[in-house]
Amino acid sequence: MTGLYELLWRVLHALLCLHRTLTYWLRVRFGTWNWIWRRCCRAASAAVLAPLGFTLRKPPAVGRNRRPYRHPRGGPGAAAPHPRLRWRADGRSLQKLPVHMGLVITEEEQETSYSDIASLVVWCMAVGISYISVYDHQGIFKRNNSRLMDEILKQQQELLGLDCSKYSTEFANSNDKDDQVLNCQSAVKVLSPEDGKADIVRAAQEFCQLVAQQQKKSTDLDVQMLDSLLNSSGFPDPDVVLKFGPVESTLGYLPWHIRLTEIISLPSHLNIRYEDFFSALRQYAACEQRLGK
């Protein structure tokens, strides 16, 4: 009897072990398939919903802290203002603008550039300077006056564009009073060493005629009288002279007229930049402010 109980106990123990083994195997097998099934469902959902997500995505808002894209080469986006607007604003920003600016070239003949001089003249017009004189001690620009004037008109069209009609220009001939009509926005005069001497000779002749006609006395000749005779051409004395070149001299540029003129030296007129030109204007305005003029 005891042997029978022992056999039954062993059979029951074997069945219990078989049950535990089968249960563990089924749990592991079905658990793995369940994990694989969940992963497949997630991948399928992502593949289906991803295009829909890109379609419904809102564009980024352009707010206070975000700037719209601007094309680096002037394409879509806000266009840069024309330089003439900047030049006009620069002229208004100066506390004092010269009425007459002289451009004195002391460089050699092979170093003269008509286009660079024309650019300087047009910049003077754009900022609001009324009288411009161009001088070189060899008389190159005076002999080639028409070439310089053509280049000025060309630069006027290129730099000022449609606004060029607002900057009327009078090319005053220093030897002919009839051509010196200065009722315009800007007047340009081309000078040479003979002009300063000729003006003094002409003023002396006029004064002698006044004395001969008993309208003046010889003792009336003074600084004010000579000023009035020299300024009869309509051009005022230069307020500032931009001297280009290494020579520390104006080389005969209007010797009487520049006794009170501010002279600013620049290395060269070749490839001159607008920034250098306007820097000289700021220097002149600062000097006049210090002098209280």
Side-chain angles (χ1 to χ4, degrees):
M1 195 67 178
T2 303
L4 182 60
Y5 285 134
E6 183 177 357
L7 179 61
L8 183 60
W9 172 255
R10 289 181 179 276
V11 172
L12 292 175
H13 186 269
L15 291 175
L16 181 61
C17 290
L18 181 61
H19 177 267
R20 288 180 177 177
T21 302
L22 183 61
T23 303
Y24 177 77
W25 180 82
L26 291 175
R27 184 180 299 173
V28 172
R29 183 175 182 84
F30 284 101
T32 302
W33 281 106
N34 189 23
W35 177 81
I36 294 175
W37 174 256
R38 288 197 303 267
R39 296 283 294 184
C40 291
C41 290
R42 289 178 184 177
S45 299
V48 172
L49 297 178
L52 184 61
F54 281 110
T55 304
L56 298 179
R57 181 178 298 175
K58 295 182 179 181
V62 180
R64 183 175 301 175
N65 298 324
R66 193 179 182 105
R67 296 182 179 179
Y69 173 75
R70 293 185 179 183
H71 197 276
R73 295 184 178 274
H82 196 281
R84 66 175 178 270
L85 301 177
R86 173 193 172 188
W87 300 335
R88 190 181 306 169
D90 287 344
R92 294 173 180 172
S93 68
L94 296 175
Q95 295 185 357
K96 185 170 184 180
L97 194 67
V99 178
H100 178 186
M101 171 175 280
L103 306 175
V104 177
I105 314 301
T106 65
E107 296 162 283
E108 298 299 327
E109 179 177 0
Q110 61 270 18
E111 297 177 352
T112 55
S113 171
Y114 289 86
S115 61
D116 290 324
I117 293 297
S119 296
L120 285 164
V121 172
V122 174
W123 292 338
C124 290
M125 298 176 186
V127 299
I129 298 175
S130 301
Y131 300 92
I132 307 119
S133 57
V134 180
Y135 174 89
D136 71 284
H137 66 288
Q138 299 176 1
I140 300 171
F141 294 117
K142 184 69 174 293
R143 291 194 301 270
N144 300 278
N145 181 67
S146 59
R147 177 182 174 185
L148 178 60
M149 296 312 168
D150 290 341
E151 188 65 33
I152 291 174
L153 293 175
K154 176 183 175 182
Q155 294 285 342
Q156 202 174 2
Q157 293 282 345
E158 292 180 357
L159 298 179
L160 300 180
L162 297 177
D163 271 2
C164 65
S165 58
K166 300 179 181 178
Y167 300 90
S168 57
T169 307
E170 181 71 25
F171 301 119
N173 186 342
S174 60
N175 293 327
D176 190 351
K177 289 185 180 179
D178 296 335
D179 291 340
Q180 294 176 9
V181 181
L182 305 180
N183 295 324
C184 58
Q185 187 161 356
S186 296
V188 181
K189 181 185 287 188
V190 182
L191 302 172
S192 64
E194 290 75 17
D195 292 304
K197 299 176 183 178
D199 286 342
I200 296 176
V201 171
R202 177 184 51 78
Q205 290 174 347
E206 290 182 4
F207 181 76
C208 291
Q209 290 177 0
L210 293 174
V211 172
Q213 296 171 2
Q214 296 183 353
Q215 298 181 14
K216 297 290 182 180
K217 297 180 180 179
S218 59
T219 55
D220 293 337
L221 184 61
D222 55 11
V223 174
Q224 294 181 353
M225 174 61 66
L226 188 56
D227 275 341
S228 63
L229 293 173
L230 289 173
N231 291 332
S232 60
S233 62
F235 256 69
D237 292 345
D239 299 299
V240 60
V241 166
L242 298 186
K243 183 189 70 66
F244 300 94
V247 181
E248 295 298 329
S249 172
T250 55
L251 299 179
Y253 169 76
L254 300 179
W256 176 264
H257 303 74
I258 62 171
R259 63 193 186 281
L260 300 177
T261 300
E262 177 76 16
I263 300 175
I264 300 175
S265 298
L266 295 173
S268 175
H269 73 288
L270 300 176
N271 301 318
I272 184 72
R273 302 182 307 162
Y274 172 78
E275 288 75 14
D276 299 328
F277 165 77
F278 187 67
S279 177
L281 285 181
R282 284 201 303 263
Q283 183 178 341
Y284 162 78
C287 180
E288 294 296 300
Q289 185 178 7
R290 288 195 301 269
L291 296 176
K293 294 182 180 180

